[in-house]
Amino acid sequence: MSPSKKEDQPTEAYVIADGFAGVPEVPVLEGDLPPKTTWRSYVWSTLDVSKEEARFLTKLDLCLISSAALGVMIRYLDQVNITNAFNSGMKEDLGLYGNELNYANAFWSAAYVIGQVPSNLILTRVHAPYYIAFLEFAWTIFTIATSGVKNTSQLYAIRFFVGLFEAGHFPAVMYVASSYYKPHELARRNTIIQVFTAVGPLFSGFLMAAVYSDLNGRAGWPGWRWLYVICGLISFPCACWTVVAMPELPSRIKPNWLYSAAEIEIAKRRMPGEVKLYTGLFKWKDVLRWHKTWHVWLFPLFFLCNSQLSQPGGSMIFWVKSYNVTGQPAVFSVQAINIIPLGINLIQIVGALLSSWVSDALPGSQRWPSMAFAAFSGIIFSISLGATPVHPANRASRWALYYLTALSGTSAGVTWTYVNETSRHDPEKRAYVSAMMNAIAYIFSAWVPIFTFPTQNQPYVTVGNYVTAGFGAVQLIVAFLIGYLDHQDKKRAKANHELERKRQADAESTPSDEKELPESD
């Protein structure tokens, strides 16, 4: 167990104290974070706490993190399988020779945006495990239904409902995680959940290759239709695990087969700000107050730019397929077309995990360097792809550039942690900023790629690569600005803490003006 912290020893963490109407929020020191005093906490936080707390956190890790990660994996599996299907026969079977793929993704994105804030509001008023599992079951049904589409109208409608039910999932699991873990415990866990956004597409590519090899033509169905059925069959047991393993929010959880009353008391004692039974009912005065802080503006802007940095890497599957010319022997098989781009996902997974560990190890667990590195990578490799021939004499050079675009996607888990650290005192604000991050990002993702990375022009999207570099430049500036404003808040918090300590010390040392007089006879 780590040594206890002296009362007068402030930590680097802070919260923003609730302001009243017309009064700005004021940063104050957070006093309940234990300092990381041994090397063990840099490996994993449960190695530096009491045995009782470590036992509880281990259960939480095995259940909450596993159910959240599997849910995120199947969400991305069911989100991106349309690209694998498109490049494995769906394009030819449905006659998708224009920008129909862009439009299908736009319908998905529009629904995703519409569902963000309402879903977060619902989450805080219902039983979290059942609601999150409901979302997973719902989009699973529509994923399976995609296997039977006959035309673009049906495809657009189904993709809309897939997006609508997927909308609330990621903010929901991040909200539950941030309700149980302290800021210094959250970065690596958030990133483990976050990297499964890359595991889903990675799995989808291998799955499409396997399905095409083993099921193409089975029962008269092409392989791409079987892909949606198999994805649905994989998603169903993961949704069942969510029902069992995802914990209820701390304010509503009761003793059950997994958590004892003593462990629930540990959870509530660790996170006293999470004991409010109902949250998420945003009041207009609160929304106005939140919009006077930098968090509501800069985190969504950062995430908006970051969501665009994946587009150059997304062109790789089209680039690989472009080597196959009609009437000539195929250079790459369907299986190779689906598998070769998966190196991007592997690099992103490793890079994201390293990013979170490095971020936690930096003095004060600083987050902005990881965010700035991702933005800088997006600038460099997007420009490099735009400036080099699409089919160079040395194919490996462009191959490597596509793979290195993965580095631009390594900061998402750290960014989500940053959001939760700076708004952890206010569950409503945390839910609002999280929803705004996702909503703003997907509002732009719904239409920007139609112009920057049109399907009919793939992989000849030089302009799109340069536009992406522009998004990376804005993201880099925002990362520096977030780091600066966060530093200023911490300085103000420390100054307020020192001022309060001095005021209390003066009050204790000042003798009373009125001395007790002896009684007269």
Side-chain angles (χ1 to χ4, degrees), residues 26-184:
V26 180
V28 297
L29 274 187
E30 172 63 75
D32 66 351
L33 292 182
K36 295 182 285 186
T37 55
T38 73
W39 64 268
R40 292 175 298 179
S41 63
Y42 290 97
V43 178
W44 200 248
S45 62
T46 56
L47 301 177
D48 211 18
V49 298
S50 67
K51 291 183 179 180
E52 294 77 12
E53 189 172 353
R55 187 180 301 113
F56 165 71
L57 288 174
T58 300
K59 285 184 182 180
L60 204 61
D61 290 341
L62 292 174
C63 294
L64 192 161
I65 302 301
S66 69
S67 60
L70 286 174
V72 168
M73 184 198 74
I74 61 173
R75 206 212 95 189
Y76 271 78
L77 174 67
D78 296 337
Q79 175 187 337
V80 306
N81 53 22
I82 189 172
T83 301
N84 295 101
F86 180 88
N87 286 285
S88 303
M90 184 180 186
K91 172 183 177 180
E92 292 76 13
D93 289 351
L94 297 184
L96 309 179
Y97 294 102
N99 285 332
E100 291 86 358
L101 179 60
N102 289 119
Y103 299 145
N105 288 332
F107 272 96
W108 181 94
S109 297
Y112 195 85
V113 170
I114 292 171
Q116 285 289 305
V117 174
S119 183
N120 268 22
L121 290 174
I122 294 172
L123 170 71
T124 58
R125 306 289 293 182
V126 298
H127 295 288
Y130 300 137
Y131 179 67
I132 295 173
F134 162 74
L135 296 176
E136 295 173 357
F137 282 123
W139 84 59
T140 295
I141 292 172
F142 282 99
T143 296
I144 295 175
T146 312
S147 65
V149 296
K150 304 296 184 183
N151 52 56
T152 55
S153 297
Q154 294 176 0
L155 178 64
Y156 296 158
I158 288 178
R159 291 298 293 178
F160 179 88
F161 283 105
V162 170
L164 187 65
F165 288 111
E166 288 186 349
H169 186 267
F170 193 78
V173 297
M174 285 290 164
Y175 186 91
V176 174
S178 64
S179 297
Y180 276 98
Y181 294 110
K182 296 181 178 182
H184 72 283

Side-chain angles (χ1 to χ4, degrees), residues 428-463:
E428 289 90 349
K429 181 179 178 181
R430 192 169 74 227
Y432 181 77
V433 176
S434 297
M436 288 293 290
M437 281 172 59
N438 256 10
I440 296 298
Y442 280 98
I443 284 174
F444 280 78
S445 294
W447 62 271
V448 171
I450 295 176
F451 300 99
T452 55
F453 291 86
T455 305
Q456 62 186 4
N457 293 346
Q458 290 278 20
Y460 306 97
V461 285
T462 300
V463 173

Side-chain angles (χ1 to χ4, degrees), residues 165-478:
F165 288 111
E166 288 186 349
H169 186 267
F170 193 78
V173 297
M174 285 290 164
Y175 186 91
V176 174
S178 64
S179 297
Y180 276 98
Y181 294 110
K182 296 181 178 182
H184 72 283
E185 301 168 338
L186 195 56
R188 280 166 279 190
R189 290 171 170 90
N190 269 358
T191 301
I192 289 174
I193 298 172
Q194 175 69 34
V195 297
F196 275 79
T197 64
V199 173
L202 177 68
F203 188 34
S204 179
F206 283 115
L207 185 63
M208 184 70 252
V211 167
Y212 194 88
S213 297
D214 298 335
L215 293 177
N216 188 43
R218 185 72 61 90
W221 270 23
W224 68 266
R225 293 189 184 275
W226 280 111
L227 174 66
Y228 289 108
V229 175
I230 300 301
C231 285
L233 294 178
I234 292 171
S235 300
F236 183 79
C238 293
C240 293
W241 177 241
T242 297
V243 176
V244 175
M246 181 65 67
E248 183 58 88
L249 292 172
S251 59
R252 302 171 66 90
I253 192 170
K254 296 179 180 179
N256 53 43
W257 67 276
L258 188 57
Y259 302 108
S260 66
E263 288 171 331
I264 291 174
E265 184 58 33
I266 290 175
K268 294 181 177 181
R269 188 169 64 246
R270 281 166 40 86
M271 303 290 285
E274 300 296 331
V275 298
K276 186 177 178 182
L277 182 59
Y278 294 118
T279 62
L281 295 182
F282 307 156
K283 297 179 181 178
W284 182 244
K285 66 177 182 179
D286 292 326
V287 174
L288 290 177
R289 174 167 54 85
W290 298 334
H291 278 268
K292 294 178 182 178
T293 66
W294 59 265
H295 315 85
V296 177
W297 299 100
L298 295 186
F299 279 122
L301 179 57
F302 180 90
F303 222 58
L304 181 164
C305 296
N306 188 250
S307 68
Q308 299 303 315
L309 298 193
S310 64
Q311 298 296 333
S315 292
M316 188 176 190
I317 191 170
F318 299 96
W319 176 74
V320 175
K321 188 176 182 179
S322 69
Y323 279 93
N324 293 348
V325 179
T326 304
Q328 298 181 15
V331 177
F332 296 105
S333 66
V334 171
Q335 292 86 342
I337 291 170
N338 283 280
I339 291 175
I340 288 173
L342 301 182
I344 296 174
N345 304 94
L346 289 171
I347 294 172
Q348 184 177 335
I349 290 169
V350 175
L353 292 172
L354 287 175
S355 177
S356 66
W357 256 262
V358 169
S359 177
D360 278 346
L362 290 173
S365 297
Q366 299 204 39
R367 311 303 182 192
W368 69 266
S370 295
M371 297 160 65
F373 172 78
F376 184 74
S377 299
I379 297 170
I380 295 299
F381 298 115
S382 295
I383 291 176
S384 299
L385 284 170
T388 56
V390 174
H391 296 111
N394 181 8
R395 187 187 301 164
S397 62
R398 193 169 183 86
W399 195 315
L401 289 176
Y402 278 124
Y403 274 10
L404 290 173
T405 61
L407 298 178
S408 66
T410 56
S411 68
V414 172
T415 306
W416 279 98
T417 302
Y418 214 175
V419 171
N420 288 298
E421 285 176 344
T422 54
S423 297
R424 66 185 297 266
H425 71 291
D426 190 340
E428 289 90 349
K429 181 179 178 181
R430 192 169 74 227
Y432 181 77
V433 176
S434 297
M436 288 293 290
M437 281 172 59
N438 256 10
I440 296 298
Y442 280 98
I443 284 174
F444 280 78
S445 294
W447 62 271
V448 171
I450 295 176
F451 300 99
T452 55
F453 291 86
T455 305
Q456 62 186 4
N457 293 346
Q458 290 278 20
Y460 306 97
V461 285
T462 300
V463 173
N465 288 318
Y466 286 126
V467 172
T468 301
F471 278 107
V474 174
Q475 181 181 339
L476 183 61
I477 294 171
V478 173

